[in-house]
């Protein structure tokens, strides 16, 4: 195909151009043919990236990998067939920018080419005086894309808010489709060392990688999120943001990346290094004041003359083999950005956080809940733990219009505050905390449950009857038994779970079913009959989970990390209580699926944090869609990793668990306040992100699981 549409507008790039390929450094690659479907003479393990181009837009419309048995398309379909609202204007390689000229700002898009040549290997767009040349070529197994932005006008132009659409197929139609045909896109906006590691949700290879070759990526945006556009079941359209460009007449800037297949995390990192990028890591990402950070950059011979800057203060780095490192005392509270300058004018970074101390942070949080988030007025919700509005410095009464009042009421996820306080009391028996807990226990039993232990989340008992709620209330009751030795609490916990199983059966993937805690409580309370009945219920659940395997049923979201993690957690605890090997074996099968949700980016917002992207809308004041990094339910993966370590003796999973729960501490502030979610993308649907939502809502589950991982408190 050589479709030339240049007559429509002034031609761009008058001089003959050839894509800068550099030297082929991999001696195992040999190109044996030319064209879109280049033949590679390489071992049978080669898995080349193939693509097709839309003849109308010049965008890549499909991308797959050789020898992938599923023949997965790594891109969302842009013809409306997958999602009716996702059309050709979101194709891979199209994009937008804001043109600033003579103090005038205009947002412009490139989506219709001036010319398409060589089957889409060379596409030219013209938007006003800006020409964008997109060149595609194969180097061995890799697809290389190069974008050249040129000012073809007669005056200076500033381009800002530049985004290139990269519509990775990251969405949740259902478990089986997701595991085989969808990807978790782990994005690192790491300047010159930016990348995207797209891991198949099933955790098995091949996977897809994108590594920057030339230029920078400074952030990313999410588009097309709405209750009527996939609701909680799609991540939306991802676009990668380039830095601002100031172009004089005739000036151009070039930006390019590699796209390649890989076999998993280790292989991705190796291939990243082979493509002359660098890998940055820290010994951890959240530090107590006074601890020492170890910042490391790896990248072979190209990494030289490294300079580390901590919030603009220069710190020398030491060479160790092909890597460089620096040890830095973390002596100031708050976020610490490490900028690393390396090679010929290149840079990347890592983001860490310094807190006073974990113990102080949790203490302040507990004290804040007791003093500020427990209802004290004499209405029907007295003694409930409530949502707190950090902007207004008051309890939110759930009495204004919002998107979903049931996610801001006096029960449900808010029970996590009670569970946290109960666990905290076991470590620090403070009288005020116990008094608060006793009042709360009475509120739960008398206001949110009926005589038969049917459990609601609002005192009018008119809301949805939700299986999750039973598990959390039962967890709280069992914790109260540990505090008081009052057998009545053991009974309340048991009866609450029995009510759940009676109503919802044994196939619901509830978050945080208290397997060990429940059984050990009943054993300690000398409730043998109840112990046996609950164990029978748990075995029925475990057997159902084994039968389902990776065929997870849909819940409030079709498929998500908070379905997989609870399944793994349940099976591991059941193994610990029964000693039956089949439950451990079942958990092992699911572990790669759970791990696929987690990325390895060098930031406390991202490192080992599971992909979640809807919770800020349902639970936050801003009611904003988009990636929530972190969201507290990411600690479920931490709990699963901890339990897996306990069952297998593999200490590496304990370390990963600690990293997850530690990174979630950023949701808690030094004054005792907290946030239910951090909205991470630069923009979502054009609205600025990068903020902690003002509602302290349900985030205290992060501390509940911190105390499991770090203190062993079930």
């Amino acid at each position: 195909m050589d479709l030339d549409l240049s007559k429509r507008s002034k031609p761009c790039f008058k001089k003959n151009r050839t894509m800068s390929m550099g030297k082929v450094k991999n001696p195992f690659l040999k190109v044996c043919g030319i064209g879109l479907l280049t033949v590679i003479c390489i071992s049978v393990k080669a898995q080349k990236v193939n693509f097709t181009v839309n003849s109308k837009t010049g965008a890549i419309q499909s991308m797959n990998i050789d020898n992938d048995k599923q023949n997965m398309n790594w891109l969302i379909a842009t013809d409306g067939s997958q999602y009716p609202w996702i059309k050709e204007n979101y194709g891979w390689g199209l994009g937008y920018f804001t043109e600033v000229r003579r103090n005038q700002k205009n947002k412009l898009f490139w989506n219709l080419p001036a010319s398409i040549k060589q089957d889409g290997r060379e596409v030219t767009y013209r938007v006003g005086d800006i020409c964008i040349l997109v060149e595609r070529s194969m180097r061995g197994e890799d697809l290389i894309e190069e974008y050249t932005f040129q000012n073809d006008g007669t005056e200076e132009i500033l381009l800002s808010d530049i985004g290139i659409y990269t519509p990775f197929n990251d969405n949740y139609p259902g478990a089986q489709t997701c595991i085989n045909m969808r990807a978790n896109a782990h994005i690192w906006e790491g300047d010159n060392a930016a990348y995207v590691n797209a891991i198949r949700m099933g955790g098995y290879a091949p996977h897809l990688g994108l590594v920057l070759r030339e230029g920078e990526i400074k952030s990313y945006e999410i588009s097309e999120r709405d209750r009527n556009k996939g609701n909680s079941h799609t991540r939306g359209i991802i676009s990668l943001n380039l830095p601002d460009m100031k172009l004089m007449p005739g000036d151009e800037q070039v930006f390019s990346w590699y796209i390649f297949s890989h076999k998993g995390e280790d292989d991705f990192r190796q291939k990243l290094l082979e493509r002359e990028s660098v890998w940055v890591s820290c010994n951890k990402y959240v530090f107590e004041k006074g601890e020492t950070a170890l910042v490391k950059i790896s990248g072979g011979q190209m990494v030289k003359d490294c300079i580390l800057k901590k919030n603009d203060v220069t710190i020398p780095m030491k060479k160790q083999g092909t890597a460089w490192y620096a040890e830095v005392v973390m002596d100031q509270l708050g976020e610490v950005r490490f900028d690393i300058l390396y090679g010929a004018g290149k840079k990347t970074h890592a983001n860490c956080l310094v807190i006073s101390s974990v113990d102080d942070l949790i203490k302040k949080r507990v004290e804040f809940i007791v003093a500020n988030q427990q209802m004290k007025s004499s209405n029907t919700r007295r003694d409930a733990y409530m949502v707190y509005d950090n902007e207004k410095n008051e309890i939110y009464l759930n009495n204004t219009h919002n998107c979903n009042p049931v996610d801001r009421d006096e029960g449900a996820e808010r029970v996590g505050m009670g569970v946290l306080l109960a666990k905290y009391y076991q470590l620090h028996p403070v009288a005020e905390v116990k008094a608060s807990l006793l009042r709360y226990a009475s509120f739960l039993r008398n206001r949110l449950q009926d005589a038969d232990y049917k459990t609601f989340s609002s005192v009018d008992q008119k809301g949805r009857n939700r299986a999750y709620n039973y598990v959390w209330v039962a967890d709280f009751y069992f914790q109260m038994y540990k505090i008081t030795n009052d057998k009545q609490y053991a009974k309340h916990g048991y009866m609450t779970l029995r009510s759940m199983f009676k109503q919802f059966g044994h196939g619901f993937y509830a978050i945080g079913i208290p397997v060990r805690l429940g059984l050990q409580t009943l054993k300690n309370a000398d409730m043998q009959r109840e112990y046996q009945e609950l164990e029978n219920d748990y075995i029925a659940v475990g057997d159902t989970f084994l039968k389902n395997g990776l065929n997870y049923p849909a819940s409030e979201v079709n498929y998500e990390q908070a379905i997989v993690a609870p399944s793994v957690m349940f099976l591991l605890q059941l193994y610990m209580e029964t000693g039956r090997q089949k439950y451990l074996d079942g958990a092992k099968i699911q572990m790669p699926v759970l791990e696929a949700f987690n990325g390895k980016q060098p930031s406390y917002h991202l490192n080992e944090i599971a992909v979640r992207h809807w919770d800020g809308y349902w639970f936050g004041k801003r009611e904003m869609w988009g990636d929530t990094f972190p969201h507290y339910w990411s600690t479920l993966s931490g709990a699963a990793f901890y339990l897996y370590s306990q069952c297998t003796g593999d200490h590496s999973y304990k370390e990963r668990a600690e990293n997850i729960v530690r990174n979630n501490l950023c949701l808690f502030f030094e004054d005792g306040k907290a946030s239910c979610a951090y909205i991470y993308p630069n923009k979502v649907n054009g609205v600025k992100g990068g903020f902690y939502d003002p509602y302290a809502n349900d985030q205290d589950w992060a501390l509940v699981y911190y105390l499991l991982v770090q203190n062993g408190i079930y």
Side-chain angles (χ1 to χ4, degrees):
M1 180 185 70
D2 190 347
L3 178 62
D4 193 341
L5 307 176
S6 59
K7 294 181 180 179
R8 295 182 181 179
S9 58
K10 182 179 176 182
C12 300
F13 303 104
K14 298 176 183 178
K15 297 180 180 180
N16 291 328
R17 294 175 51 88
T18 56
M19 187 172 176
S20 175
M21 296 300 298
K23 296 180 180 179
V24 178
K25 295 196 172 184
N26 191 333
F28 299 104
L29 298 181
K30 182 181 178 183
V31 180
C32 302
I34 17 178
L36 187 62
L37 299 177
T38 305
V39 178
I40 309 300
C41 295
I42 195 171
S43 71
V44 294
K45 295 182 179 180
Q47 294 191 281
K48 179 169 66 71
V49 174
N50 301 307
F51 65 97
T52 63
V53 174
N54 184 303
S55 61
K56 177 182 177 183
T57 65
I60 295 179
Q61 63 184 8
S62 70
M63 197 177 293
N64 57 43
I65 299 171
D66 272 357
N67 304 316
D68 177 7
K69 293 180 180 180
Q70 304 295 338
N71 196 32
M72 173 178 165
N73 184 5
W74 290 82
L75 309 184
I76 296 174
T78 52
D79 60 0
S81 61
Q82 191 169 340
Y83 296 103
W85 56 91
I86 304 298
K87 300 292 181 64
E88 292 177 333
N89 56 304
Y90 287 113
W92 180 289
L94 306 180
Y96 53 89
F97 56 79
T98 296
E99 180 188 79
V100 183
R101 183 174 7 191
R102 299 190 298 274
N103 295 320
Q104 298 277 326
K105 291 186 177 182
N106 291 303
K107 186 169 184 177
L108 303 171
F109 299 81
W110 71 90
N111 47 37
L112 286 176
S115 67
I116 304 179
K117 300 178 180 178
Q118 302 182 57
D119 290 332
R121 292 165 64 92
E122 181 181 314
V123 187
T124 305
Y125 303 87
R126 185 181 184 94
V127 186
D129 288 332
I130 299 298
C131 294
I132 301 109
L133 174 65
V134 183
E135 296 172 280
R136 302 180 175 112
S137 64
M138 299 300 300
R139 179 191 291 179
E141 301 169 20
D142 292 12
L143 164 63
I144 298 180
E145 283 195 300
E146 185 171 282
Y147 297 77
T148 303
F149 296 79
Q150 183 186 78
N151 181 356
D152 199 41
T154 58
E155 58 184 352
E156 178 186 278
I157 302 175
L158 173 66
L159 305 184
S160 65
D161 298 322
I162 308 167
I164 298 175
Y165 293 124
T166 53
F168 289 98
N169 212 348
D170 192 338
N171 46 81
Y172 300 151
Q176 285 304 295
T177 300
C178 288
I179 285 171
N180 294 304
M181 303 292 286
R182 297 292 185 270
N184 294 305
H186 301 295
I187 306 166
W188 176 231
E189 65 279 20
D191 311 304
N192 299 116
Y195 66 76
V196 181
N197 187 8
I199 297 289
R200 192 192 306 263
M201 290 186 184
Y204 64 91
H207 312 287
L208 192 75
L210 180 154
V211 170
L212 205 58
R213 177 172 176 263
E214 188 173 2
E216 295 180 53
I217 293 173
K218 65 174 186 175
S219 58
Y220 70 94
E221 298 182 26
I222 298 291
S223 306
E224 297 297 331
R225 293 300 308 277
D226 191 83
R227 291 185 76 166
N228 298 317
K229 293 181 176 180
N231 205 326
S232 302
H233 309 297
T234 177
R235 193 172 175 186
I237 297 293
I238 297 169
S239 52
L240 302 179
N241 294 140
L242 280 56
D244 294 350
M245 299 180 188
K246 184 178 287 186
L247 298 175
M248 301 298 291
D251 282 356
E252 63 182 42
Q253 285 201 29
V254 179
F255 175 90
S256 67
W257 53 44
Y258 300 94
I259 301 171
F260 54 91
S261 68
H262 66 91
K263 300 181 180 72
E265 293 287 354
D266 292 342
D267 189 44
F268 172 78
R269 179 159 65 174
Q270 181 61 34
K271 289 188 173 181
L272 176 150
L273 297 176
E274 290 172 356
R275 285 149 184 80
E276 298 189 338
S277 188
V278 297
W279 186 265
V280 176
S281 62
C282 300
N283 55 327
K284 56 184 181 180
Y285 296 92
V286 173
F287 297 85
E288 293 185 328
K289 186 177 180 180
E291 290 187 318
T292 298
L294 177 63
V295 186
K296 184 177 180 181
I297 178 171
S298 305
Q301 297 303 317
M302 65 162 300
V303 181
K304 52 187 176 181
D305 302 323
C306 285
I307 298 172
L308 181 70
K309 290 189 174 183
K310 173 192 173 188
N311 294 347
D312 295 326
V313 177
T314 300
I315 297 169
M317 299 192 79
K318 301 176 183 178
K319 197 169 190 297
Q320 185 180 51
T322 59
W324 293 73
Y325 73 95
E327 294 178 307
V328 185
V329 177
M330 307 295 269
D331 53 3
Q332 293 184 323
L333 298 181
E335 181 168 295
V336 175
R337 178 180 168 113
F338 290 112
D339 287 292
I340 305 173
L341 310 181
Y342 66 97
K346 293 190 173 184
K347 64 180 180 180
T348 187
H349 68 277
N351 289 324
C352 298
L353 180 70
V354 183
I355 62 175
S356 55
S357 77
V358 176
D359 289 344
D360 284 349
L361 201 69
I362 297 177
K363 179 176 181 289
K364 291 172 184 175
R365 178 62 189 144
V366 167
E367 291 174 348
F368 188 92
I369 293 171
V370 173
N372 299 285
Q373 289 190 240
Q374 189 166 31
M375 287 285 286
K376 295 178 175 60
S377 58
S378 58
N379 63 22
T380 56
R381 294 182 288 182
R382 181 170 182 166
D383 298 324
Y385 296 129
M386 301 286 291
V387 173
Y388 191 85
D389 188 332
N390 293 321
E391 291 179 326
K392 293 185 175 182
N393 290 313
E394 64 184 24
I395 285 175
Y396 172 62
L397 296 174
N398 203 23
N399 57 358
T400 60
H401 172 73
N402 57 50
C403 67
N404 202 33
V406 299
D407 291 324
R408 297 163 174 81
D409 58 25
E410 55 270 25
E413 281 87 348
R414 271 63 59 195
V415 175
M417 285 182 269
V419 178
L420 167 62
L421 266 61
K423 282 194 174 187
Y424 180 83
Y425 183 84
Q426 294 169 47
L427 296 171
H428 307 282
V430 179
E432 291 80 3
V433 173
K434 186 175 183 180
S436 173
L437 286 167
L438 290 169
R439 294 195 300 272
Y440 184 62
S442 177
F443 167 79
L444 283 185
R445 182 70 192 103
N446 296 309
R447 304 299 306 175
L448 295 187
Q449 293 186 303
D450 65 14
D452 294 326
Y453 291 87
K454 191 173 183 179
T455 302
F456 301 88
S457 61
S458 58
V459 294
D460 61 12
Q461 299 190 1
K462 295 180 180 179
R464 56 181 172 170
N465 186 20
R466 186 174 180 235
Y468 291 111
N469 298 343
Y470 292 77
V471 170
W472 301 326
V473 171
D475 190 338
F476 174 77
Y477 286 141
F478 291 141
Q479 300 290 350
M480 289 299 293
Y481 173 80
K482 292 169 70 177
I483 290 172
T484 65
N485 286 317
D486 185 342
K487 197 170 179 176
Q488 190 64 42
Y489 288 120
K491 178 187 174 184
H492 289 335
Y494 165 76
M495 293 298 295
T496 300
L497 288 176
R498 290 289 291 170
S499 178
M500 181 192 73
F501 290 127
K502 182 179 179 181
Q503 297 178 77
F504 298 96
H506 297 92
F508 186 75
Y509 286 63
I511 295 172
I513 299 175
V515 181
R516 296 207 80 190
L517 174 64
L519 292 176
Q520 290 178 4
T521 297
L522 296 179
K523 183 183 292 184
N524 293 335
D526 197 27
M527 299 169 64
Q528 293 301 319
R529 178 184 61 82
E530 291 85 354
Y531 175 96
Q532 192 60 59
E533 289 179 349
L534 186 60
E535 185 183 54
N536 290 339
D537 282 324
Y538 285 164
I539 288 172
V541 172
D543 290 346
T544 301
F545 288 3
L546 291 181
K547 181 180 178 181
N548 291 342
L550 303 183
N551 190 26
Y552 304 97
S555 187
E556 293 176 357
V557 178
N558 289 338
Y559 174 74
E560 57 154 323
Q561 170 255 358
I563 296 176
V564 182
S567 177
V568 173
M569 291 166 62
F570 186 95
L571 292 172
L572 291 171
Q573 289 183 81
L574 194 57
Y575 166 72
M576 296 167 92
E577 287 299 306
T578 67
R580 299 180 187 181
Q581 183 68 30
K582 66 178 182 178
Y583 298 124
L584 177 58
D585 293 341
K588 286 181 177 180
I589 292 171
Q590 299 182 46
M591 283 294 288
V593 178
L594 181 60
E595 293 177 78
F597 286 102
N598 290 17
K600 303 291 186 185
Q601 306 97 309
S603 167
Y604 67 94
H605 285 290
L606 302 169
N607 194 269
E608 290 283 14
I609 298 300
V611 173
R612 300 185 66 87
H613 44 76
W614 60 91
D615 307 277
Y617 176 77
W618 298 108
F619 294 89
K621 183 176 183 177
R622 296 286 181 265
E623 298 179 6
M624 194 160 173
W625 298 101
D627 299 349
T628 49
F629 294 149
H631 180 266
Y632 67 88
W633 279 143
S634 61
T635 60
L636 294 172
S637 296
F641 290 178
Y642 169 78
L643 294 168
Y644 191 74
S645 175
Q646 295 292 105
C647 292
T648 64
D650 187 340
H651 190 69
S652 67
Y653 282 93
K654 174 69 158 52
E655 294 176 351
R656 294 176 68 183
E658 291 172 347
N659 194 37
I660 294 170
V661 297
R662 193 166 50 235
N663 287 345
N664 270 269
L665 294 175
C666 69
L667 297 171
F668 305 91
F669 311 132
E670 296 292 340
D671 60 0
K673 294 180 179 178
S675 171
C676 63
Y678 185 86
I679 307 299
Y680 187 84
N682 178 39
K683 292 181 181 178
V684 179
N685 293 339
V687 179
K688 190 74 178 73
F691 64 89
Y692 292 96
D693 192 272
Y695 276 169
N697 187 337
D698 45 354
Q699 66 292 313
D700 296 286
W701 288 107
L703 297 181
V704 168
Y705 288 110
Y706 182 94
L707 294 176
L708 168 65
V709 171
Q710 297 288 29
N711 297 89
I713 304 177
Y714 284 83

